[in-house]
Amino acid sequence: MTRGKTTGKTSGKPARQLLFCETQVASWTDRDQELLHLRSKLTDLEERSRRNNVHLLGFPGGIEGVDILSYLREALPKLTDITFDPPLEFQRVHRVGPKRQDGKGRPRPIIACMLRHGQARQLLQAARMQGPFQSGTLEIRLSADFSKETAERRRAFLSLRTRLRRLGVKFGLFEPARMWITKNGESVGNTTRDKHSSFPCSLMLVQNSKQVTS
């Protein structure tokens, strides 16, 4: 009797411990999912806060003089050949990064936060269609101002974009980080960077084998 009771207690303790561990693991899994959800929401909020921003690269330091707003208000319409009505207006404009004392190296980027979202879209559309822009000896590039996480997601598609160009396949990388591939009249989209390497290149390699080997 005594031995039976002892055995019962001994066998019950590991079972309770196992149940406790399973409960904890399930709790951690739920927390991980919640953290991923919150992280996604924070990234989305950050992207929305940047919707009116335009990233400008190539303007040498000091070219704007003492009034960068007035300079860009005059320079951007000429650069993009767009007549803005009403005229360009900014919420704020600033350069990114510490000022270089020696004046050497690449010029610091400019972040221009437009007052009107429509004007930001006009500038970015012109950049996609015409850019990079030439202004004398300067090469000016305009792009959207993405968060760090979104920029990393977009960079994850770089190798795939190289392969698609080599295959002659039509594709587009849309905001914030979604790629569409069009082949034989069909379009396929993907947003997951962890799976981008297999996104559907195996199918396209087969479809284009004759084109590549010829």
Side-chain angles (χ1 to χ4, degrees), residues 15-205:
R16 290 194 298 272
Q17 291 176 336
L18 178 61
L19 179 61
F20 174 77
C21 290
E22 290 175 344
T23 303
Q24 289 296 101
V25 169
S27 175
W28 292 336
T29 301
D30 291 341
R31 290 173 186 173
D32 287 343
Q33 292 176 347
E34 185 177 358
L35 286 174
L36 287 173
H37 177 66
L38 291 175
R39 182 178 179 182
S40 176
K41 290 184 69 174
L42 285 173
T43 300
D44 180 63
L45 288 172
E46 184 175 0
E47 292 301 330
R48 291 176 184 273
S49 72
R50 295 170 178 253
R51 290 174 73 245
N52 287 12
N53 289 2
V54 179
H55 186 276
L56 313 172
L57 184 62
F59 288 104
I63 193 174
E64 67 272 18
V66 297
D67 189 352
I68 192 171
L69 294 177
S70 297
Y71 173 78
L72 291 179
R73 192 176 291 116
E74 181 179 349
L76 289 179
K78 292 180 180 178
L79 191 67
T80 58
D81 196 25
I82 298 176
T83 301
F84 291 96
D85 185 20
L88 283 179
E89 291 188 74
F90 306 90
Q91 294 188 50
R92 59 188 177 276
V93 179
H94 66 276
R95 286 192 182 267
V96 180
K99 187 175 181 179
R100 298 182 177 91
Q101 299 298 328
D102 56 7
K104 297 179 180 180
R106 297 179 62 184
R108 293 185 299 157
I110 297 174
I111 300 297
C113 181
M114 315 302 297
L115 179 63
R116 298 177 179 85
H117 178 66
Q119 292 183 341
R121 304 314 304 173
Q122 282 181 277
L123 289 170
L124 294 175
Q125 184 175 6
R128 283 192 295 268
M129 301 297 292
Q130 308 170 36
F133 302 98
Q134 296 295 325
S135 177
T137 59
L138 302 178
E139 182 178 270
I140 309 297
R141 297 179 180 272
L142 279 63
S143 62
D145 180 36
F146 296 113
S147 66
K148 180 180 179 181
E149 181 170 336
T150 299
E152 290 176 353
R153 288 172 57 199
R154 291 174 68 87
R155 276 195 295 269
F157 286 109
L158 284 175
S159 60
L160 178 56
R161 292 163 67 181
T162 301
R163 295 165 67 185
L164 293 174
R165 289 192 185 98
R166 187 170 62 249
L167 293 171
V169 177
K170 184 179 179 181
F171 69 92
L173 185 58
F174 299 97
E175 297 179 14
R178 184 177 184 85
M179 175 174 276
W180 283 91
I181 294 176
T182 301
K183 183 62 182 175
N184 297 331
E186 292 189 20
S187 294
V188 185
N190 185 296
T191 58
T192 307
R193 65 180 180 179
D194 295 335
K195 299 179 181 179
H196 80 279
S197 58
S198 61
F199 171 50
C201 271
S202 56
L203 174 61
M204 288 183 294
L205 286 169

